[in-house]
Amino acid sequence: MKSMIAVLIMTAVLAAGGIWYMNKLSDVSEELSEINCEVREELENRRYKNASQKIDELYRYLDEEERYFEAFSDHEELDKIRMTLSELEEYTNAGAGTEALAKTNVLEFLFEHLPKNYRLRFENIL
Amino acid sequence: MFIIMIRTLILYISVIFSLRVMGKRQIGELQPSELVVAIMISDLATVPMESVNIPLTAGVIPVFTLVIAEVITSFLCLKSRKVRRIISGEPSIVIYDGVIIEKEMRRLRFNINDLLEELRLNNCHDISDVAVAVIETSGKLSVIPRDHARSVTVEDLGLTDVRSEGLPCTVISDGELNETELKRSGKSLKWLKDELKKNGIDDMKDVFIASVDAEGELFIQKKGEG
């Protein structure tokens, strides 16, 4: 009976943790995508200084939420985001609009991809 | 370096906790489902142990999920005979009245050499001495010998004054008194101290092990005696 109680508690903790993590990941992904869209808008209008400020905002937000990803997701995914973000920052500072825009596209894909792997879907189970 | 050590310790504690939750049967007699869980747990725990790129939770969550599945399966097996039959199978009789049941042996893919080996391990050297041999769900062979081949029991000999062999109570272990065991033995602390004195021991700390058997007799081994 003790084992059953322990198992029920573990099930409840894992289920609650799973739901919380999926929601958290979706929220963070949405927020990151939103800031990334703002970066893209600034780049399209060739306002590189504003774009650079938005990139800093992306960095700050990512730093705040990083621990959640590191605790549950593959660290490689986060490394890819950081590398692309670093490239975007350099292209923006150098005023290379086209390259910077390409990097925002890559980031958009990576941000959207974050929660996709963890959603309770048949494709993900398979 | 330290990260790997800490991660290993966390996983070690998680696996021990998991095995404790799964119960004692998990460590001894393994049923098919338990064997699967034991193999999977050991493998799952080593992956995040080795690579710091994989989050620790990637090892801990599957281990706990397996524990949940195993405990629920055991619970269902306990409650339902049907589930028990599906998960663990049923014991199979391979020898009945000294005759090997070939059909059952073929079904279990159990060859004659395996059977003879298991019989020898059960101290049975002649198939004709076997009344019933059963392959249990854990894969072990249980042998019930025929009347002429079984060991003589106290009942057979008609003895009345037989020394009882209950579980001895270890009242002192490594110089420390075990009050629960002393209470179980039905003896008092005063009695124990008197007995120790009779054996020339003034302090319990000098005793390596002392136990009281079912007859109430005390066995003492002093430290440094062995």
Side-chain angles (χ1 to χ4, degrees):
Chain A
M1 203 59 207
K2 268 187 207 166
S3 301
M4 272 309 278
I5 293 166
V7 156
L8 288 175
I9 293 168
M10 276 158 69
T11 311
V13 169
L14 286 180
I19 292 166
W20 174 84
Y21 183 65
M22 274 195 284
N23 288 337
K24 179 80 188 167
L25 214 55
S26 294
D27 291 348
V28 171
S29 162
E30 266 175 39
E31 183 64 29
L32 285 168
S33 294
E34 218 168 276
I35 304 171
N36 190 45
C37 275
E38 288 169 14
V39 174
R40 191 187 304 174
E41 264 178 41
E42 299 295 352
L43 286 171
E44 279 166 354
N45 296 318
R46 297 183 185 279
R47 289 193 293 262
Y48 295 113
K49 204 176 174 188
N50 290 355
S52 188
Q53 282 169 354
K54 289 285 171 195
I55 291 167
D56 286 343
E57 202 181 314
L58 258 181
Y59 267 121
R60 269 198 304 277
Y61 190 71
L62 202 60
D63 286 341
E64 278 171 26
E65 307 294 338
E66 196 178 42
R67 60 180 184 273
Y68 298 112
F69 297 122
E70 285 184 336
F72 299 100
S73 313
D74 195 334
H75 295 184
E76 243 175 65
E77 222 165 344
L78 201 70
D79 291 342
K80 266 186 213 163
I81 291 174
R82 286 224 169 260
M83 277 158 64
T84 315
L85 203 54
S86 172
E87 284 175 309
L88 170 66
E89 191 183 23
E90 284 308 306
Y91 284 134
T92 307
N93 289 342
T98 317
E99 286 84 352
L101 275 170
K103 290 296 160 190
T104 57
N105 265 1
V106 177
L107 277 175
E108 186 58 34
F109 169 78
L110 289 173
F111 293 151
E112 276 177 12
H113 192 257
L114 270 178
K116 266 186 186 169
N117 282 347
Y118 297 92
R119 271 192 203 128
L120 202 59
R121 280 183 179 172
F122 191 61
E123 307 93 86
N124 285 344
I125 293 168
L126 295 177
Chain B
M1 178 88 167
F2 284 117
I3 298 292
I4 292 175
M5 282 169 72
I6 294 166
R7 286 164 72 100
T8 306
L9 285 174
I10 293 170
L11 286 161
Y12 173 71
I13 293 164
S14 304
V15 171
I16 287 183
F17 172 75
S18 306
L19 290 175
R20 288 286 292 122
V21 169
M22 281 193 280
K24 286 194 172 70
R25 240 159 55 90
Q26 182 65 35
I27 303 159
E29 305 279 304
L30 292 178
Q31 292 293 330
S33 66
E34 294 164 348
L35 178 71
V36 169
V37 171
I39 293 168
M40 285 173 91
I41 281 182
S42 62
D43 199 43
L44 279 168
T46 51
V47 176
M49 217 182 262
E50 291 165 341
S51 172
V52 283
N53 272 334
I54 300 167
L56 194 62
T57 47
V60 174
I61 292 172
V63 168
F64 285 167
T65 308
L66 283 174
V67 172
I68 292 169
E70 175 52 30
V71 172
I72 290 172
T73 308
S74 307
F75 183 76
L76 291 175
C77 285
L78 190 74
K79 295 286 172 193
S80 159
R81 193 169 174 268
K82 209 173 180 180
V83 176
R84 193 158 56 233
R85 206 174 57 226
I86 294 166
I87 303 288
S88 305
E90 281 191 325
S92 308
I93 297 171
V94 285
I95 300 177
Y96 191 79
D97 206 14
V99 178
I100 299 171
I101 302 168
E102 287 179 59
K103 196 180 162 193
E104 197 61 14
M105 293 271 288
R106 268 199 300 275
R107 193 180 70 81
L108 297 169
R109 295 187 299 279
F110 207 73
N111 64 47
I112 193 78
N113 291 343
D114 293 335
L115 181 66
L116 292 173
E117 185 183 325
E118 287 294 327
L119 285 173
R120 284 194 296 274
L121 287 169
N122 278 283
N123 285 325
C124 189
H125 307 287
D126 190 349
I127 291 171
S128 61
D129 287 343
V130 180
V132 181
V134 180
I135 295 181
E136 304 294 352
T137 52
S138 61
K140 284 194 172 176
L141 187 78
S142 299
V143 180
I144 301 165
R146 283 179 190 241
D147 290 347
H148 69 264
R150 69 182 168 89
S151 309
V152 178
T153 63
V154 173
E155 199 180 351
D156 293 335
L157 295 169
L159 298 174
T160 48
D161 188 24
V162 183
R163 188 184 161 84
S164 51
E165 273 189 34
L167 183 70
C169 307
T170 312
V171 288
I172 302 172
S173 172
D174 210 9
E176 274 187 38
L177 176 73
N178 187 330
E179 286 179 29
T180 317
E181 286 286 278
L182 184 65
K183 200 175 169 187
R184 194 167 68 85
S185 73
K187 303 288 183 188
S188 67
L189 185 61
K190 188 180 173 302
W191 173 87
L192 181 63
K193 282 181 178 171
D194 289 345
E195 288 294 314
L196 290 176
K197 264 188 193 145
K198 275 185 211 167
N199 284 278
I201 301 165
D202 295 320
D203 193 350
M204 274 187 208
K205 286 196 167 58
D206 298 332
V207 179
F208 183 62
I209 188 165
S211 62
V212 180
D213 65 17
E215 294 280 315
E217 284 176 23
L218 185 68
F219 163 80
I220 305 168
Q221 185 178 326
K222 278 199 251 177
K223 279 183 182 171
E225 232 177 36

